[in-house]
């Protein structure tokens, strides 16, 4: 883990808090370029947009691709507050993201090591380095507080 990862996770956590304020599941994501600079960000927007693909990772990947003018994000890092789901893992691999850093583990639907390990599956043509558990307590706290308020 690098200093850029930690700084990026702090921004992703702020985006997750924004999502919670908008009544979205609190997940935030940022994409770092090869130099470790944030080039795009996203947060969950599913409720707001009525779009089932409105996950933070997908939002961030779309913006990153637009910012560099290419779908190919080889050499970039995605930093997200929650372990990506299967859909997001597929999008990450399609974008050729080489590295994923995430906060909270998702034992129910995670696809980066807990339930599935899609991002590191050597049977697939592309795979990503995975660093999990970064600022996991803060990310888990946001999720827990959000769901406790909804009950």
């Amino acid at each position: 883990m690098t200093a850029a990862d930690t700084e990026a996770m702090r921004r992703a956590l702020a985006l997750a808090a924004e999502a919670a304020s908008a009544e979205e599941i609190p997940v935030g994501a940022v994409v770092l370029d090869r130099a470790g600079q944030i080039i795009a960000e996203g947060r969950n927007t599913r409720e707001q947009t009525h779009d089932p693909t409105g996950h933070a990772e997908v939002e961030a990947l779309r913006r990153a691709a637009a910012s560099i003018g290419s779908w190919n994000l080889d050499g970039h890092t995605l930093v997200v507050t929650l372990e990506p789901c299967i859909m997001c893992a597929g999008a990450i691999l399609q974008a050729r993201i080489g590295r994923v850093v995430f906060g909270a583990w998702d034992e129910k639907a995670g696809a980066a090591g807990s339930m599935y390990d899609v991002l590191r599956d050597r049977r697939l043509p592309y795979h990503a380095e995975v660093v999990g558990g970064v600022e996991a307590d803060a990310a888990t706290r946001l999720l827990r507080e959000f769901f406790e308020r909804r009950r």
Side-chain angles (χ1 to χ4, degrees):
M1 190 175 74
T2 68
D5 295 340
T6 303
E7 183 177 325
M9 184 59 77
R10 287 189 192 119
R11 178 62 187 145
L13 287 164
L15 291 163
E18 287 178 22
S21 294
E23 297 302 315
E24 298 279 355
I25 295 174
V27 180
V30 299
V31 176
L32 306 177
D33 65 12
R34 294 172 191 267
Q37 299 299 308
I38 294 174
I39 62 163
E41 53 187 43
R43 65 169 180 80
N44 276 4
T45 62
R46 223 169 37 165
E47 300 300 325
Q48 173 188 352
T49 62
H50 311 292
D51 179 356
T53 68
H55 289 205
E57 299 95 323
V58 173
E59 298 288 329
L61 291 173
R62 286 177 179 153
R63 289 184 179 110
S67 84
I68 69 164
S70 174
W71 61 267
N72 190 333
L73 300 173
D74 183 39
H76 291 70
T77 297
L78 176 76
V79 179
V80 60
T81 59
L82 179 64
E83 179 182 3
C85 69
I86 290 173
M87 176 187 71
C88 292
I92 289 163
L93 295 178
Q94 288 297 315
R96 309 298 194 263
I97 290 283
R99 190 163 173 270
V100 176
V101 176
F102 70 86
W105 293 89
D106 185 350
E107 299 296 331
K108 294 179 182 174
S114 61
M115 177 67 99
Y116 306 99
D117 202 357
V118 175
L119 293 176
R120 294 179 286 203
D121 190 330
R122 297 291 179 187
R123 297 170 296 179
L124 298 172
Y126 303 100
H127 43 80
E129 175 188 348
V130 175
V131 179
V134 176
E135 297 289 334
D137 291 342
T140 300
R141 187 171 38 258
L142 276 171
L143 289 160
R144 186 179 301 119
E145 290 170 359
F146 175 80
F147 286 111
E148 284 174 356
R149 282 193 316 271
R150 293 185 65 131
R151 290 185 182 123

